[in-house]
Amino acid sequence: MVTKGLPQLRMVDTPNGPITYTLTRKSVKNLNLRVDARGEIMVSVPLRCSVKQADSFVQEKSGWILAAIRRQDRRQAEPLPPVSREECARLLGEALVRVYPLVEPCGVAFPSLKLRALKSQWGNCHWAQGYITLNTALARCPEALRDYVALHELVHFLHHDHGPGFYARMDALMPDWRQRRKTLKQYSGALEGRAKGSEHT
Ligand SMILES: [Zn+2]
């Protein structure tokens, strides 16, 4: 049986690959499924429903779920209004200060920060010179996304490429970074020249 009231994170294998979903037991009549704005899969089931029934439900609906997630990935978010140069410097400086403590214990020195209106990158890391560049367009993205890019660039001081070590470190320091990266793609309209890039060096 599902633990009463408390949402439970489940992972099931489906014909379309593994799917992780949040299962909640409620006083509802039917099994309900929705993909929320963050692309997370929420399933609510009647109180008497077993975990196995819930898993089978998700397996049956896996095609629909993946199509819904793909639709969301393509959706574009409206960037926040433009800000002044000073405000941009403050917002991005604050992002760096917020996430730096995550890499400080790994021996990363606090870097210099340069701001540029890059066309196709959200940021990059000049690890040999000890500075990172953040795209001024990040000032028009939500705070969680500014933090994600700042951390991505900081982690490049430890792992220069995008090898398994890099991703393992991101997983350890910011477990939801993949979700943030996905959301960031919806803000590509904030980039000057609307380049589609959302990857960083
Ligand atoms: Zn990178």
Side-chain angles (χ1 to χ4, degrees):
M1 298 293 274
V2 183
T3 313
K4 195 178 176 183
L6 288 177
Q8 186 184 352
L9 202 62
R10 303 272 315 153
M11 197 175 92
V12 284
D13 281 318
T14 79
N16 294 296
I19 287 183
T20 304
Y21 72 96
T22 302
L23 174 58
T24 313
R25 250 177 121 197
K26 287 180 180 169
S27 11
V28 288
K29 273 211 167 103
N30 301 306
L31 288 82
N32 297 300
L33 168 64
R34 74 187 169 87
V35 176
D36 76 9
R38 293 172 304 166
E40 288 179 17
I41 303 151
M42 315 299 286
V43 175
S44 53
V45 300
L47 298 172
R48 286 172 184 281
C49 180
S50 72
V51 166
K52 213 174 162 181
Q53 280 172 296
D55 284 354
S56 314
F57 179 64
V58 170
Q59 282 162 336
E60 272 167 37
K61 302 281 181 191
S62 60
W64 181 89
I65 293 172
L66 295 178
I69 291 174
R70 273 197 298 273
R71 269 199 303 280
Q72 283 202 342
D73 286 351
R74 283 198 298 269
R75 203 187 48 198
Q76 287 296 300
E78 190 59 39
L80 305 174
V83 296
S84 67
R85 241 186 121 70
E86 292 71 26
E87 181 70 354
C88 175
R90 183 183 69 79
L91 291 170
L92 300 189
E94 283 176 0
L96 180 58
V97 166
R98 264 194 305 275
V99 295
Y100 174 71
L102 295 172
V103 295
E104 191 177 19
C106 312
V108 175
F110 192 84
S112 307
L113 173 61
K114 293 192 183 184
L115 304 179
R116 285 185 61 198
L118 301 166
K119 297 240 185 285
S120 61
Q121 291 178 307
W122 288 107
N124 49 50
C125 176
H126 299 261
W127 46 270
Q129 292 88 5
Y131 71 90
I132 65 170
T133 305
L134 293 179
N135 196 320
T136 50
L138 282 167
R140 303 189 58 195
C141 300
E143 183 177 296
L145 307 185
R146 298 196 285 268
D147 289 0
Y148 156 63
V149 177
L151 181 64
H152 179 113
E153 303 312 339
L154 285 174
V155 167
H156 275 314
F157 284 110
L158 299 163
H159 305 276
H160 301 158
D161 59 9
H162 294 134
F166 176 86
Y167 292 119
R169 187 79 69 159
M170 285 300 293
D171 285 340
L173 300 177
M174 185 178 273
D176 68 345
W177 70 268
R178 284 184 178 80
Q179 187 59 53
R180 297 190 201 208
R181 179 176 65 177
K182 203 189 274 183
T183 309
L184 185 61
K185 286 185 177 150
Q186 297 172 0
Y187 283 85
S188 59
L191 291 169
E192 290 204 16
R194 296 185 62 95
K196 63 182 184 312
S198 56
E199 289 297 327
H200 334 290
T201 51

